[in-house]
Amino acid sequence: MKGTCTVCDASVTLPKDTEESEIISCSDCKSRLVVQKISNGKATLEKAPVVEEDWGQ
Amino acid sequence: MITIGLLHSTIRGDEKLILEAAKKRKVNIKLIDIRTEIFNPLTYKIDFDVALVRSVSTVKGTYAANFFETFGVPVINSSSVTHICEDKFYTSLYLSQKKVPTLKFALVFNLEQAVQAVSELGGFPVVIKPPLGSWGRLLAKVNDMDALEAIIEHKDVLGSPQQKAIYIQEYIKKPGRDIRSFVVGGKAICAIYRDSPHWITNTARGGKASNCPVTKEISRLSKAASEAVGGGILAMDIFETDKGLQINEINHTMEFKNSETPTGVNISGAIVDYCVKVAKKS
């Protein structure tokens, strides 16, 4: 599965078991990206959301 | 066949491990991105047997847990456990009430009371933490009165109302590490040491994980702490002190992806098994 990095436009290859909402890193620019949508074997990527105050475990 | 409703926001490595463990066990998982749900009790259709809250956002996870509980669906962890564990002051109160060994603490709203509280806790240094917070963020080791005044003034001027609740904890000089035990249904299934030369040992802040054998003391303390807050799937942060092991904090949406390898324990599998057990009981 492939997607395009919204930061550097690189083509990003994703593992088969990638899920929507998963956070990944661009192999080129190392930006944190989120998998917004998966459709017909193509992933739509966006810049990952920034950490918010109530995030954690 | 049991279906687990996995309530999530962003999907981390931890959630991927849970998905994999469920697949191996032939347990259905319904992924529910709570950021895009409409929690309307008149229109919502429940099509899972048990809800597992894995939201990285505490606020969103808590709302979702409360919502599904009103439908009679078992939620792990329950809203009452979440309510206690999401707030360090409430956690300390419940541990203290149940006489589970924990660090000395106090909560104040003003500098004058903070000075008195520091004295009651045995003097400087102390640690100030936001009652709600995680990953070691905004922790302050306060070594003297100057620092205490500065921190409280900053919180007063810059903080949200939540940040103006000042949770103060005695400072424990750790042996360069703390312990995290992973507790499922009251049983400590494994534990790690988190080594760091920094006084903050969270793995999110660079602490290195290695296996920690689950001793009788860790097992007993973990069980007691789990019972004190209502049980479920919890991670205990434990300090080695000169008075023995003491609970520092309890995490109700535990991260574990870096702990399966050093411990050799399938934590994700234990989580799935527990969910199935709870679903079958309900």
Side-chain angles (χ1 to χ4, degrees):
Chain A
M1 189 178 347
K2 284 195 182 294
T4 304
C5 174
T6 48
V7 179
C8 73
D9 280 340
S11 174
V12 182
T13 304
L14 303 166
K16 272 186 192 165
D17 66 347
T18 302
E19 299 284 349
E20 289 183 357
S21 297
E22 191 173 339
I23 301 286
I24 58 147
S25 288
C26 170
S27 46
D28 273 25
C29 72
K30 313 297 177 201
S31 292
R32 274 165 49 88
L33 304 168
V34 64
V35 181
Q36 198 66 31
K37 197 170 172 47
I38 297 172
S39 177
N40 299 323
K42 191 171 166 18
T44 306
L45 305 176
E46 285 187 10
K47 215 171 160 188
V50 292
V51 173
E52 293 182 33
E53 193 177 330
D54 74 325
W55 283 26
Q57 46 179 333
Chain B
M1 188 188 277
I2 298 290
T3 298
I4 300 172
L6 195 155
L7 313 182
H8 69 89
S9 45
T10 55
I11 290 189
R12 298 162 287 184
D14 310 271
E15 283 72 60
K16 296 292 295 279
L17 288 171
I18 292 170
L19 290 172
E20 198 183 311
K23 198 173 169 187
K24 276 187 190 157
R25 287 162 170 73
K26 299 191 178 358
V27 172
N28 284 334
I29 293 261
K30 184 184 183 207
L31 285 170
I32 302 168
D33 188 338
I34 58 174
R35 296 168 301 180
T36 56
E37 291 297 285
I38 298 171
F39 294 113
N40 179 348
L42 299 177
T43 55
Y44 205 96
K45 299 274 181 276
I46 304 278
D47 53 0
F48 52 88
D49 304 291
V50 57
L52 173 64
V53 184
R54 292 294 313 172
S55 169
V56 73
S57 159
T58 302
V59 171
K60 293 183 179 82
T62 305
Y63 277 116
N66 277 278
F67 179 77
F68 289 117
E69 278 176 352
T70 63
F71 284 86
V73 175
V75 177
I76 302 166
N77 288 312
S78 71
S79 59
S80 61
V81 171
T82 301
H83 170 71
I84 298 166
C85 296
E86 71 181 8
D87 187 301
K88 295 174 182 35
F89 182 59
Y90 297 157
T91 306
S92 297
L93 280 177
Y94 275 79
L95 291 172
S96 169
Q97 189 196 21
K98 299 286 182 187
K99 304 201 182 326
V100 178
T102 190
L103 278 56
K104 290 188 280 183
F105 68 99
L107 182 105
V108 299
F109 299 113
N110 294 294
L111 177 61
E112 194 182 331
Q113 286 71 35
V115 172
Q116 177 66 31
V118 170
S119 167
E120 289 175 11
L121 293 176
F124 294 107
V126 292
V127 175
I128 291 184
K129 303 176 173 182
L132 274 74
S134 191
W135 296 337
R137 290 170 301 168
L138 291 175
L139 307 191
K141 178 171 169 249
V142 181
N143 295 325
D144 56 28
M145 190 63 74
D146 290 344
L148 183 67
E149 286 173 357
I151 296 256
I152 291 179
E153 187 181 3
H154 276 75
K155 281 178 174 286
D156 230 13
V157 175
L158 302 172
S160 61
Q162 190 65 53
Q163 293 295 336
K164 288 171 189 170
I166 301 153
Y167 173 84
I168 312 174
Q169 202 179 45
E170 67 174 318
Y171 173 71
I172 298 290
K173 194 162 170 46
K174 294 180 276 185
R177 69 184 187 193
D178 69 2
I179 296 168
R180 163 163 292 196
S181 69
F182 298 91
V183 185
V184 179
K187 188 183 176 199
I189 58 169
C190 59
I192 54 164
Y193 288 118
R194 300 188 300 184
D195 284 86
S196 173
H198 197 278
W199 70 274
I200 298 173
T201 41
N202 297 54
T203 49
R205 295 280 295 262
K208 299 282 174 233
S210 62
N211 185 46
C212 168
V214 178
T215 61
K216 277 185 185 166
E217 192 182 1
I218 291 174
S219 183
R220 206 166 35 232
L221 180 66
S222 301
K223 187 172 191 289
S226 173
E227 283 171 0
V229 298
I233 299 172
L234 300 163
M236 310 292 171
D237 291 349
I238 301 171
F239 285 176
E240 298 159 279
T241 78
D242 52 11
K243 294 176 206 148
L245 298 182
Q246 296 193 329
I247 299 283
N248 173 36
E249 293 175 9
I250 304 177
N251 299 278
H252 64 284
T253 320
M254 66 189 194
E255 291 175 335
F256 56 88
K257 65 176 181 293
N258 297 322
S259 302
E260 291 200 339
T261 302
T263 61
V265 172
N266 185 2
I267 301 170
S268 49
I271 290 172
V272 172
D273 291 343
Y274 182 74
C275 291
V276 170
K277 193 174 148 192
V278 169
K280 282 184 176 168
K281 260 191 186 173
S282 70

